[in-house]
């Protein structure tokens, strides 16, 4: 499985109105002294489950030590936890003042963060399987292989329709309207891990019958390849994890905006009392 990654798109920029840009010196007033370090855990669970990408623009005001004292954020898609995770990433960074004698205190800065998933989007389900029927030996091989894959990922079988990690995200970081709708989609289209495991065995057996491969574990290694994705989709025949994910994702994006263009930069709150527009004269050396 290829895990999603997060990258800082364009580094650091002073958050100022366009008419102030021309007044900036060649040396920017602030820069990173400790750049934020995104991790796999920074990818929102709801975004991951829906197989979506996202983008966020975070504006913060710095304290005297260069850490973000307070932040505001806009994100797309909104309401899926992207806002909180983007702020958490930026708050791990630290800025410094580049001009001699200056301080980062009460200076604002903005960061653009793309949350990019390299997992291929799910394909529309097919209606029926047109390939060969697997033999009992192929079904046994598919069962052993599926059990091996489940053990590698340490995935216990459960009758819960909503995975525990997603359930936690829906309760703690997803907006109420989006959370309620996602829960309704899982009740309609979702699969428990026990149901998914049984359907995966059937899918794997059909793929073994079609390809006559002695090493079906390789299907898991290359599951992001387009031809393997198509074979998995066809072998599911509309009943399985891929079909379930496609239905949930499609229904969600028909109701909510799933576009990933960068949103507008958020406005700085008045109580920040920023110094961005104040003239600054570096200390002069004695004559």
């Amino acid at each position: 499985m290829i895990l999603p990654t997060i990258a800082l798109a364009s580094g650091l920029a002073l958050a100022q109105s366009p008419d102030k840009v021309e007044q900036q010196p060649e040396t920017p007033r602030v820069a990173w002294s400790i750049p934020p370090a995104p991790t796999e855990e920074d990818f929102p669970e709801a975004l991951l489950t829906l197989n979506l990408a996202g983008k966020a623009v975070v504006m913060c005001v710095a304290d005297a030590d260069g850490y973000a004292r307070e932040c505001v954020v806009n994100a797309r898609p909104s309401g899926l936890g992207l806002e909180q995770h983007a702020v958490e990433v930026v708050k791990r960074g630290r800025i410094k003042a580049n001009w001699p004698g200056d301080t980062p205190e009460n200076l604002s800065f903005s960061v653009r963060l793309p949350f990019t998933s390299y997992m291929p989007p799910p394909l529309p389900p097919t209606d029926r399987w047109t390939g060969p029927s697997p033999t009992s030996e192929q079904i046994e091989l598919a069962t052993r292989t599926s059990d091996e894959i489940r053990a590698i990922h340490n995935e216990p079988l459960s009758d819960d329709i909503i995975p525990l990690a997603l359930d936690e995200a829906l309760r703690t970081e997803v907006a109420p309207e989006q959370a309620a709708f996602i829960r309704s989609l899982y009740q309609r289209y979702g699969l428990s891990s026990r149901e998914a495991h049984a359907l995966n065995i059937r899918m794997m057996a059909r793929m073994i019958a079609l390809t006559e491969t002695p090493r079906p574990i390789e299907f898991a290694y290359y599951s992001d390849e387009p031809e393997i994705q198509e074979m998995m989709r066809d072998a599911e025949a509309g009943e399985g994890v891929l079909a379930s994910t496609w239905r949930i994702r499609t229904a969600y994006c028909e109701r909510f905006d799933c576009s990933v263009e960068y949103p507008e930069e958020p406005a700085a709150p008045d109580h920040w009392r920023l110094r961005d527009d104040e003239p600054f004269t570096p200390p002069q050396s004695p004559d």
Side-chain angles (χ1 to χ4, degrees), residues 128-194:
R128 59 192 179 91
W129 170 245
T130 58
S133 298
T135 65
S136 58
E137 290 81 8
Q138 290 168 336
I139 294 173
E140 182 180 351
L141 177 57
T143 301
R144 293 199 307 270
T145 303
S146 296
D147 287 342
E148 181 181 349
I149 294 171
R150 185 169 57 85
I152 291 173
H153 294 291
N154 192 26
E155 296 174 343
L157 295 181
S158 168
D159 294 320
D160 295 332
I161 298 296
I162 300 179
L164 291 178
L166 176 60
D167 184 65
E168 174 72 12
L170 294 178
R171 288 189 293 106
T172 60
E173 61 186 33
V174 176
E177 183 181 3
Q178 284 89 329
F181 189 61
I182 291 172
R183 289 186 186 278
S184 71
L185 293 177
Y186 267 81
Q187 293 302 319
R188 182 176 182 182
Y189 300 120
L191 298 170
S192 70
S193 60
R194 196 179 308 277

Side-chain angles (χ1 to χ4, degrees), residues 69-147:
R69 188 179 72 230
E70 188 178 343
C71 299
V72 290
V73 57
N74 285 335
R76 284 187 182 145
S78 63
L80 292 177
L82 196 58
E83 295 86 349
Q84 300 94 309
H85 285 260
V87 170
E88 289 170 4
V89 170
V90 174
K91 283 191 170 182
R92 292 201 295 268
R94 185 181 186 183
I95 68 169
K96 63 180 179 178
N98 282 335
W99 300 357
D102 198 7
T103 171
E105 186 172 18
N106 289 338
L107 288 177
S108 67
F109 60 98
S110 63
V111 187
R112 296 159 68 92
L113 295 95
F115 287 68
T116 304
S117 172
Y118 293 106
M119 295 183 65
L123 299 172
T126 57
D127 294 332
R128 59 192 179 91
W129 170 245
T130 58
S133 298
T135 65
S136 58
E137 290 81 8
Q138 290 168 336
I139 294 173
E140 182 180 351
L141 177 57
T143 301
R144 293 199 307 270
T145 303
S146 296
D147 287 342

Side-chain angles (χ1 to χ4, degrees), residues 212-257:
E212 299 184 350
T213 178
R215 282 183 48 80
I217 189 69
E218 293 183 356
F219 293 143
Y221 296 154
Y222 301 104
S223 61
D224 59 312
E225 296 292 333
E227 59 271 23
I228 301 298
Q229 284 281 308
E230 290 181 11
M231 191 189 308
M232 292 168 63
R233 184 270 310 271
D234 294 344
E236 276 194 353
E239 295 182 303
V241 174
L242 296 180
S244 170
T245 301
W246 183 86
R247 293 183 179 112
I248 291 171
R249 183 182 191 266
T250 300
Y252 182 88
C253 292
E254 285 176 352
R255 175 162 174 178
F256 295 99
D257 181 13

